[in-house]
Amino acid sequence: MVAPGIPEVEAAAGEDLGAGSLEQAPHLLAVVDHEPEVAFPIRRLRATLCQHQELVSHVDERHSAQAPAKLEVEQAAVEGERLVEVVYLQHHVIYADEARHRTSIGFAAMDPAIELQGLERRYGERVALAGVTVSVPRGATLAVLGANGAGKTTLLRVLAGLLRPHAGTARVLDAELPRERWKVPAQVGYLGHEPLLYRELSGRENLQYHARLHGVDGSRVADLLAAVGMERRADEPLRELSRGMAQRLAAARAVLHDPPLLLLDEPRAHLDPAAAELLEPLIGRASGRTRVLVSHDVDGALAEANLALGLRAGRQVFAGAVEAEAARELYR
């Protein structure tokens, strides 16, 4: 079955490609219909590439303001998830001024959400991160994999502006770290091992406090309590709630200010399957946010990620597309 508006195509056999797997096109996140206002997000691509086949984005010179980018695929078959299949696209149009098109081909590569080059972080003489280089397009998910002590949580803390990088360059949502660290908290939602909530306050009081910190209307608190299924237990002190319930409230806190970037450290820990599914629209791929996802579930993380970063003892092993078996070598 092919999505409405998409031309019928012949399925393409080939290797799985995630965003970042093509050196010159790390931004492959979407293809577009022939209608300019329609863009179909694609999280993983499947392509057959032969010699002289390429993906090209260019600007139509006839439009002086808000110029649309056009996607041209020459001799390449592209197949995406969600039953959307496209082949031999010619001059399909997306618009830079449309917010929902900004992760489409031609835009995300020009304005990545995260740009790291030779990032280094030390704790005294111990090197926690060294030589980390990766670019994450807006709206993409980066899976960060590695054994305990590999530097995954340290990386999240650097991206959140909680730790200073000691060498290399780091840009997060156009903020240069550490010089422009003050720009980061309003744009980032952090969900780590600890809920970062006050144990003596209720869930509602915790969210109301964070809403005031971010200048968020109080009505959003009630909406999020309902979204995470905690409205009935919202007025109990956090210390009386289970770890899974606290995790639900922590997820609500992380997205309270509607951040474009989520930093997620084992976000589904302590959650039962029903609770994990409940949080999916907020912190999952369906949220549409840029995400950095730390996980020991190699298969699960790769399935929902556009690209992956592998760390071993703080050193980068790979960045980009990777097979699950190769990623498991990090744990051996």
Side-chain angles (χ1 to χ4, degrees), residues 230-270:
M230 287 296 296
E231 62 267 52
R232 293 184 179 179
R233 308 284 302 269
D235 296 308
E236 299 177 30
L238 194 74
R239 56 181 164 76
E240 297 182 3
L241 301 178
S242 70
R243 187 64 181 86
M245 290 179 178
Q247 188 74 351
R248 294 193 204 185
L249 292 170
R253 174 197 52 75
V255 301
L256 183 65
H257 53 304
D258 197 22
L261 172 62
L262 288 179
L263 304 176
L264 307 171
D265 198 347
E266 296 285 354
R268 299 176 182 91
H270 311 291

Side-chain angles (χ1 to χ4, degrees), residues 60 111 130 201 207 220 246 293:
D60 189 335
D111 189 20
L201 297 181
L207 293 186
R220 182 158 169 79
L293 172 64

Side-chain angles (χ1 to χ4, degrees), residues 38-190:
V38 179
F40 293 94
I42 287 186
R43 298 301 175 182
R44 300 184 70 185
L45 293 178
R46 191 174 183 86
T48 301
L49 301 179
C50 299
Q51 190 175 10
H52 303 306
Q53 296 177 355
E54 58 184 357
L55 298 174
V56 182
S57 63
H58 60 87
V59 175
D60 189 335
E61 300 294 342
R62 293 175 297 175
H63 296 265
S64 56
Q66 302 296 347
K70 289 185 174 182
L71 168 66
E72 184 176 31
V73 180
E74 297 179 358
Q75 305 297 321
V78 180
E79 177 188 359
E81 289 182 341
R82 296 191 186 178
L83 302 178
V84 176
E85 299 178 351
V86 181
V87 69
Y88 300 139
L89 292 179
Q90 294 293 332
H91 302 302
H92 287 28
V93 182
I94 51 180
Y95 289 91
D97 57 333
E98 286 287 340
R100 59 182 171 225
H101 290 194
R102 287 173 188 162
T103 57
S104 298
I105 290 176
F107 295 115
M110 294 184 286
D111 189 20
I114 298 171
E115 189 77 35
L116 306 179
Q117 185 70 40
L119 178 70
E120 183 176 314
R121 168 72 196 186
R122 301 182 302 276
Y123 293 103
E125 295 298 317
R126 183 174 70 84
V127 176
L129 292 172
V132 177
T133 298
V134 68
S135 179
V136 184
R138 291 180 186 262
T141 294
L142 171 69
V144 183
L145 306 172
N148 293 333
K152 304 184 299 298
T153 299
T154 296
L155 176 62
L156 288 192
R157 290 175 177 168
V158 170
L159 295 177
L162 301 175
L163 293 175
R164 295 170 62 92
H166 289 137
T169 60
R171 293 188 66 86
V172 176
L173 298 174
D174 300 322
E176 181 184 338
L177 299 179
R179 184 174 61 86
E180 297 178 305
R181 182 260 172 209
W182 58 272
K183 295 181 179 180
V184 173
Q187 301 186 79
V188 171
Y190 187 96

